[in-house]
Amino acid sequence: MKRRSFLKAAGVVSAAPAATLSPLSQADDTSFPNSIMNSSLQPSSGKLEVMAGQLPSDIFGHVLMAEGIPMERNHLTPNGRGALTRFDFSQDGVNFTRKMINTPSAIMQEHATGLFDKFHLLGGTVYYSPNMGFMNYCNTAPNNMGNNRFALSYEGGVPFEFDASTLELVTPIGNQNEWRSSLPPIADVFTPNKWLFPQVRTTGHPFFDIEQSQCYTINYGGNAGESGLKDGFIRLIRWDMAGAFEHWNIIDRKGKNAYIAATSHSLGVTRNHILIFQTAAFVENSRIMGFKSVTPQNHTTPVWIIRKADLVEGHDTVIADYLELDFDTSDIMCNYDDWGDEITLYGQYLGAMDKSEQQFNWERLQFGGRVSSEIAGCPVAPVDVGGLVRARIKVHPTSVEEIHADFTVTRDENTMWDLNDPAYRGHFQFPETFEHIYWAAIGYRPQHLVKRVADAYEDYPNRVYRNNTLPKREIPSALIHIDCRTMNVADQYIFPEDCVMRTPQFMNRPGSTAQDDGYIFTAVVRKYPTGQSSIGKEIWIFDAQYLSQGPICILASRDLNFATTNHALWVSSIGPRPTGIYRSDMVDFLREKMPSHSRNVREALQSHVFPKFG
């Protein structure tokens, strides 16, 4: 392991809010809000009330927020049943509208009752129906496509367009034959031809280039982790948001297929390059059979780098150069500017943090005791403090290399635990040069650290804490403002212990273009609600330049009930999706498969799926 530059985070750490905002008793056994595991499966709407502070007079626009709801015990919460909430900000206040993300497979989960039609939870991670295929909850991230078109993305299924004015899904992106099954060939042999929902693996963050009216994404699979690599593939997809996909099979310079052994949460796009990352969330093959053994993530981020100039129309392959970055990450972004063929990356340093592991009911905890059924499915606590990284890559005509001298990692033992959900101006549409990024540090709960995971990461590289030195106190959520030019923490806010904060989102200030001039929206779940009109599911608003001063406004409603939130999106305005534009052939595909299915499935498709997507 090469020695890293280590920057201690600087900046003012705020005190917790006054007692009226945090009535936490030190005598409580745990401050964790178990209500994050539950939320309503029914649509709702209403007006948010101000619990504390004052709503800024110039705040405007709309925030779209995705969430995951566990459907049963042990269900990994971020991968739960999807819901989408829109928050509408105006001088008259904030209204919200929340609806379930009703993909065809999620609809069929509600209505298919036959033994081999029903969806069954495998390993606490994915739902599977022997007769219909795999679940697509489509709950990872809302995306702006431009022209009042929006998409929801998901790593375990195809993305869908939705109408932001109604929050209803409109169409999958891509015809069925434009997506390749991600199962290994041996599994495909045993796949029933009647499957309605084949398994498709893609990235959680496709890149929508609004100026060029292009989308870049991937379709990968064929292998099972590090086995069956000869059948592994990655297909790069370019879509003009109107017609058929263009796609290229990615190969290395020796002609061998590229592959991804884990997941590919993030995709990087610059002016001249495309970067496909293998990110740190690996689900063991044995998990679907009920085994809970843990294979620790590798302390690397493999990346395949493609030159856009090599994407030749009519060719079915494209060459990519391979590189392994010496850190592990999940959410990673890059400057759009790649002048001199140098690419600058920003991401979280996960370290001994396994984003693919949940707590299973009644399993042993590292510090004694057992996992309660109330939180079985909640992600495990990190086994070490995380950090934030900047890395740089040089692209040569026939090779690539990391510029090691420019690597920087910033770690703070007081705040940087379980870093997630970056927020910045132009979310997942990268600026020419990043100057400011805001990060959610979800925090550390010793009572959520399971022994199974701690043992697996005992010898993980570059650890600050060892298993026998880990804190036995709770470290709460923090909102962190990183100055990308210096990689110093410019400012941060530490939440009360009874809060779990996720899903920060940058909201532009009217008339400003600065990357730190605006507001930060955050989704907060509290054990002790801020006011009588709150059930503990709250929206906290910060001034992006003054995080340490605390929230300038806290909003809630007794009708607003969300679970584990994922990514969000801010847009200045929304309107109905244009008519007469793109739709896939999904309904035709489902109709073709209908005769092979039970009466119950046929009736559910006719009554509940086709009316929504026909």
Side-chain angles (χ1 to χ4, degrees), residues 267-307:
L267 189 72
V269 177
T270 71
R271 182 165 283 104
N272 299 297
H273 303 92
I274 300 164
L275 295 84
I276 298 168
F277 300 100
Q278 177 177 298
T279 48
F282 176 74
V283 179
E284 291 77 7
N285 298 330
S286 60
R287 184 60 53 82
I288 64 172
M289 295 181 285
F291 296 100
K292 298 183 178 67
S293 59
V294 179
T295 302
Q297 312 289 348
N298 293 323
H299 190 267
T300 60
T301 297
V303 55
W304 296 90
I305 301 172
I306 299 164
R307 298 154 186 83

Side-chain angles (χ1 to χ4, degrees), residues 117-348:
D117 294 331
K118 290 195 300 184
F119 283 89
H120 305 273
L121 183 62
L122 302 179
T125 302
V126 62
Y127 274 99
Y128 161 79
S129 162
N131 282 343
M132 291 192 290
F134 285 87
M135 177 60 62
N136 177 1
Y137 280 136
C138 213
N139 70 353
T140 301
N143 303 269
N144 186 6
M145 301 171 63
N147 190 31
N148 279 321
R149 294 175 68 183
F150 297 87
L152 281 164
S153 52
Y154 188 65
E155 290 169 40
V158 303
F160 276 73
E161 280 199 55
F162 70 95
D163 188 322
S165 64
T166 64
L167 301 185
E168 296 289 344
L169 299 189
V170 177
T171 178
I173 292 175
N175 291 329
Q176 189 59 49
N177 64 5
E178 293 182 295
W179 293 98
R180 182 175 168 184
S181 167
S182 296
L183 293 175
I186 186 63
D188 265 336
V189 169
F190 297 99
T191 297
N193 186 54
K194 65 179 181 179
W195 265 12
L196 305 176
F197 312 117
Q199 190 194 54
V200 173
R201 300 186 72 188
T202 181
T203 180
H205 294 294
F207 188 84
F208 289 92
D209 188 330
I210 294 177
E211 291 184 5
Q212 299 295 323
S213 294
Q214 288 182 336
C215 169
Y216 289 99
T217 189
I218 58 172
N219 175 198
Y220 67 93
N223 54 304
E226 294 290 347
S227 61
L229 298 184
K230 67 181 179 62
D231 298 310
F233 69 89
I234 309 174
R235 297 166 73 236
L236 176 67
I237 293 169
R238 184 170 67 190
W239 180 49
D240 64 3
M241 305 194 205
F245 287 172
E246 298 177 273
H247 54 82
W248 294 264
N249 190 54
I250 301 173
I251 59 174
D252 65 17
R253 293 197 175 273
K254 295 181 180 180
K256 294 183 178 180
N257 278 0
Y259 70 92
I260 291 172
T263 57
S264 187
H265 183 71
S266 300
L267 189 72
V269 177
T270 71
R271 182 165 283 104
N272 299 297
H273 303 92
I274 300 164
L275 295 84
I276 298 168
F277 300 100
Q278 177 177 298
T279 48
F282 176 74
V283 179
E284 291 77 7
N285 298 330
S286 60
R287 184 60 53 82
I288 64 172
M289 295 181 285
F291 296 100
K292 298 183 178 67
S293 59
V294 179
T295 302
Q297 312 289 348
N298 293 323
H299 190 267
T300 60
T301 297
V303 55
W304 296 90
I305 301 172
I306 299 164
R307 298 154 186 83
K308 287 183 180 178
D310 292 340
L311 298 176
V312 179
E313 187 176 350
H315 288 204
D316 58 3
T317 61
V318 63
I319 291 175
D321 285 304
Y322 179 79
L323 179 68
E324 288 190 5
L325 301 169
D326 195 21
F327 62 93
D328 53 351
T329 191
S330 177
D331 288 298
I332 185 166
M333 301 81 66
C334 52
N335 290 345
Y336 192 73
D337 179 19
D338 57 5
W339 187 86
D341 289 327
E342 293 186 355
I343 300 170
T344 303
L345 306 170
Y346 299 94
Q348 84 268 63

Side-chain angles (χ1 to χ4, degrees), residues 217-498:
T217 189
I218 58 172
N219 175 198
Y220 67 93
N223 54 304
E226 294 290 347
S227 61
L229 298 184
K230 67 181 179 62
D231 298 310
F233 69 89
I234 309 174
R235 297 166 73 236
L236 176 67
I237 293 169
R238 184 170 67 190
W239 180 49
D240 64 3
M241 305 194 205
F245 287 172
E246 298 177 273
H247 54 82
W248 294 264
N249 190 54
I250 301 173
I251 59 174
D252 65 17
R253 293 197 175 273
K254 295 181 180 180
K256 294 183 178 180
N257 278 0
Y259 70 92
I260 291 172
T263 57
S264 187
H265 183 71
S266 300
L267 189 72
V269 177
T270 71
R271 182 165 283 104
N272 299 297
H273 303 92
I274 300 164
L275 295 84
I276 298 168
F277 300 100
Q278 177 177 298
T279 48
F282 176 74
V283 179
E284 291 77 7
N285 298 330
S286 60
R287 184 60 53 82
I288 64 172
M289 295 181 285
F291 296 100
K292 298 183 178 67
S293 59
V294 179
T295 302
Q297 312 289 348
N298 293 323
H299 190 267
T300 60
T301 297
V303 55
W304 296 90
I305 301 172
I306 299 164
R307 298 154 186 83
K308 287 183 180 178
D310 292 340
L311 298 176
V312 179
E313 187 176 350
H315 288 204
D316 58 3
T317 61
V318 63
I319 291 175
D321 285 304
Y322 179 79
L323 179 68
E324 288 190 5
L325 301 169
D326 195 21
F327 62 93
D328 53 351
T329 191
S330 177
D331 288 298
I332 185 166
M333 301 81 66
C334 52
N335 290 345
Y336 192 73
D337 179 19
D338 57 5
W339 187 86
D341 289 327
E342 293 186 355
I343 300 170
T344 303
L345 306 170
Y346 299 94
Q348 84 268 63
Y349 179 85
L350 290 177
M353 169 66 201
D354 199 323
K355 294 168 71 69
S356 65
E357 292 291 341
Q358 69 268 60
Q359 303 172 62
F360 287 99
N361 184 49
W362 203 241
E363 71 170 317
R364 291 186 181 276
L365 294 166
Q366 175 69 9
F367 299 114
R370 300 275 186 169
V371 173
S372 164
S373 62
E374 291 184 359
I375 62 167
C378 184
V380 300
V383 191
D384 197 17
V385 63
L388 298 168
V389 300
R390 179 178 63 199
R392 299 186 69 238
I393 296 172
K394 175 67 177 179
V395 181
H396 300 290
T398 59
S399 64
V400 295
E401 65 174 331
E402 183 179 356
I403 306 173
H404 291 287
D406 290 348
F407 181 89
T408 303
V409 57
T410 302
R411 303 175 83 173
D412 187 331
E413 300 168 30
N414 296 311
T415 58
M416 293 187 180
W417 295 80
D418 194 359
L419 285 154
N420 276 278
D421 306 333
Y424 48 88
R425 188 183 182 99
H427 204 44
F428 286 97
Q429 287 157 345
F430 305 140
E432 286 288 313
T433 303
F434 275 101
E435 297 176 357
H436 302 275
I437 302 176
Y438 299 82
W439 291 88
I442 297 174
Y444 168 80
R445 309 269 174 174
Q447 69 273 21
H448 290 184
L449 181 57
V450 300
K451 189 175 189 304
R452 169 179 55 91
V453 176
D455 288 348
Y457 283 85
E458 172 68 52
D459 298 320
Y460 202 72
N462 216 31
R463 286 188 61 171
V464 174
Y465 290 92
R466 310 308 304 180
N467 284 359
N468 61 357
T469 63
L470 278 164
K472 295 184 180 179
R473 62 182 176 87
E474 297 186 352
I475 299 176
S477 296
L479 179 59
I480 299 169
H481 173 191
I482 193 84
D483 187 324
C484 299
R485 298 161 294 189
T486 64
M487 288 303 292
N488 286 322
V489 172
D491 197 6
Q492 58 188 354
Y493 174 78
I494 298 176
F495 286 77
E497 271 192 14
D498 73 311

Side-chain angles (χ1 to χ4, degrees), residues 91-106:
Q91 292 182 348
D92 296 328
V94 185
N95 294 309
F96 73 93
T97 303
R98 180 178 179 272
K99 290 187 177 181
M100 302 307 295
I101 299 172
N102 286 316
T103 62
S105 53

